[in-house]
Amino acid sequence: MRIRFGPFVLDLDTRQLTEEDREIHLSPKAFELLLALVVDRPKVISKTVLQGRLWPETFVAEANLSNLVGEIRGALGDPPRAPRFIRTAHGFGYAFFADATVQHRSAEGSVDEPRCWVEWGQRRFPMSVGAHVVGRDPDVEVRLDHSTVSRRHARFVVTANGTVLEDAASKNGTFRSGERVTSPVLLADCDAIRIGSLLLTFRMRASFGSTDTQAVEATPQAS
């Protein structure tokens, strides 16, 4: 999996940070810190939690964490007084607050281009072929940090024939156009989706799913 933000790509499989295909060196601990902040975005993670993740069962001075943040900011060209990526919550911790998109690799190893996306306010979550879990967990593809959203609430399954929405036994339900999703449903462009109390809009590229979607929808009528 690769996470793109600004001109940078964070590759979890190769453990590399690149900018326009040029590798940027980060120490192993700095890479882990950047990954933790990006995955939990835009949540502020306390210094205590970060120290526990980076140095489990080991006491380290707080300066070690500050030094890693400085290393990351230097690699990203992110000045602390006018940051674009790493925000300091003074006296508490750090957060990654820039927009980021997740890219998945295909079976051949190439990165799939996003075929569709969901919009939540000003945020956009691109989705390529594969399954994309929606929820509050920090490792899901569509992360919605809200109390009415279950940790793993629902999922989008993107295929060559269109995108299907499935509920994952969520507490507050998944809805498409006002109707509760109790079995997988095929989505159309501009469908309104409610996850808990949050309203999302499903969008897809004009070249994706139009004819295939008609074929999938016609199958039940023919049977």
Side-chain angles (χ1 to χ4, degrees), residues 128-146:
S128 53
V129 170
H132 303 261
V133 177
V134 186
R136 287 189 292 111
D137 268 356
D139 63 340
V140 301
E141 290 78 9
V142 182
R143 186 165 186 264
L144 306 173
D145 192 8
H146 193 274

Side-chain angles (χ1 to χ4, degrees), residues 161-162 186-187 204 209-221:
N161 293 325
L186 186 67
L187 297 177
M204 63 185 183
S210 55
T211 56
D212 292 329
T213 299
Q214 293 171 6
V216 172
E217 291 177 334
T219 301
Q221 299 174 2

Side-chain angles (χ1 to χ4, degrees), residues 147-217:
S147 60
T148 63
V149 178
S150 300
R151 297 183 66 85
R152 303 180 80 84
H153 193 108
R155 71 171 186 163
F156 296 96
V157 181
V158 184
T159 72
N161 293 325
T163 300
V164 169
L165 173 64
E166 304 173 345
D167 185 67
S170 63
K171 179 180 179 181
N172 294 314
T174 302
F175 299 80
R176 193 276 305 265
S177 300
E179 296 185 2
R180 187 158 190 160
V181 175
T182 57
S183 60
V185 295
L186 186 67
L187 297 177
D189 190 33
C190 295
D191 269 351
I193 298 168
R194 184 157 61 84
I195 304 292
S197 65
L198 305 184
L199 186 62
L200 290 71
T201 302
F202 174 77
R203 300 301 311 271
M204 63 185 183
R205 292 165 53 187
S207 59
F208 170 60
S210 55
T211 56
D212 292 329
T213 299
Q214 293 171 6
V216 172
E217 291 177 334

Side-chain angles (χ1 to χ4, degrees), residues 3-162:
I3 304 175
R4 179 180 293 276
F5 56 94
F8 303 100
V9 173
L10 193 65
D11 195 315
L12 280 63
D13 298 323
T14 64
R15 293 182 61 83
Q16 290 178 302
L17 173 68
T18 58
E19 180 183 13
E20 298 179 352
D21 296 327
R22 176 181 65 88
E23 183 175 1
I24 300 173
H25 175 74
L26 280 180
S27 66
K29 291 293 186 185
F31 185 92
E32 289 295 337
L33 175 57
L34 177 59
L35 177 59
L37 293 173
V38 170
V39 167
D40 272 16
R41 66 188 188 280
K43 178 181 177 182
V44 178
I45 308 178
S46 71
K47 295 177 182 179
T48 301
V49 169
L50 289 172
Q51 287 174 328
R53 291 186 186 181
L54 296 171
W55 298 280
E57 301 180 0
T58 303
F59 174 79
V60 296
E62 188 176 307
N64 289 341
L65 183 60
S66 300
N67 290 339
L68 290 181
V69 172
E71 180 183 344
I72 293 171
R73 283 177 168 154
L76 301 179
D78 196 37
R81 293 189 177 182
R84 295 182 297 155
F85 303 109
I86 308 297
R87 178 172 70 86
T88 301
H90 294 287
F92 184 78
Y94 302 95
F96 186 93
F97 69 104
D99 289 334
T101 58
V102 177
Q103 298 175 320
H104 293 271
R105 296 183 185 277
S106 66
E108 293 76 21
S110 61
V111 177
D112 291 333
E113 290 297 323
R115 293 176 174 245
C116 53
W117 65 93
V118 286
E119 298 173 349
W120 175 41
Q122 299 298 314
R123 298 192 63 183
R124 174 183 288 192
F125 300 90
M127 299 184 293
S128 53
V129 170
H132 303 261
V133 177
V134 186
R136 287 189 292 111
D137 268 356
D139 63 340
V140 301
E141 290 78 9
V142 182
R143 186 165 186 264
L144 306 173
D145 192 8
H146 193 274
S147 60
T148 63
V149 178
S150 300
R151 297 183 66 85
R152 303 180 80 84
H153 193 108
R155 71 171 186 163
F156 296 96
V157 181
V158 184
T159 72
N161 293 325

